[in-house]
Amino acid sequence: MIRLATLACAVTLAVSALPALAQPQKFDKPEDAIKFRQATLKELQQNFKRVADMASGRDAFNAKVADESAARVAELIKQPWPAFGPGTEGGKARPEVWTEQAKFQDLAGKAQGEMVKLAAAAKTGSLDAIKAAIGPAGASCKACHDSFRAR
Ligand code: ASC
């Protein structure tokens, strides 16, 4: 019994250690997956824009808001990918998401890395650090959109 519990725990740990990208999430209907990924990407975009507008000088710099927004971005960037599981084609996602999975996951993973860097930059409170991180971060959004989002 103890051994079974230990095994269950080890399996749980092993699964949760996998990158989020590797585990499709279960939704009742494909539309639920589409709604979920669109909602997370939308909130991601809103938070990203808040930071980008400070980086560009469009908005006044507020270190606390930038930090909170960038931290939220780094959380949200993990969430959409498991909602692109098999059978959830649709929305603005191009069919290539499912036919070029390796490339999709690579670009999603790179975007995740850039958002972690952006959040780390914002945490320092330095606008210059944010300015340095925002370009590559935005480019990582665009790289994925260029190949995988319908226009
Ligand atoms: C945004 C947004 C994107 C990226 C990208 C940057 O605010 O919605 O997709 O920035 O346009 O190039």
Side-chain angles (χ1 to χ4, degrees), residues 101-124:
Q101 265 290 304
K103 182 179 174 188
F104 180 66
Q105 304 232 349
D106 177 54
L107 290 176
K110 282 180 178 153
Q112 219 164 298
E114 294 300 338
M115 299 314 158
V116 168
K117 287 189 213 167
L118 179 64
K123 189 144 287 305
T124 68

Side-chain angles (χ1 to χ4, degrees), residues 2 14 31 43 49 53 60 65 78 101 112 121 125 131 149:
I2 286 171
E31 302 82 66
E43 193 191 339
K49 185 174 188 298
D53 285 348
V65 172
K78 300 181 208 165
Q101 265 290 304
Q112 219 164 298
K131 283 182 181 171
R149 184 176 68 174

Side-chain angles (χ1 to χ4, degrees), residues 45 48-49 138-139 141-142 145 149:
Q45 190 271 334
F48 185 84
K49 185 174 188 298
C141 302
K142 186 174 186 301
H145 291 161
R149 184 176 68 174

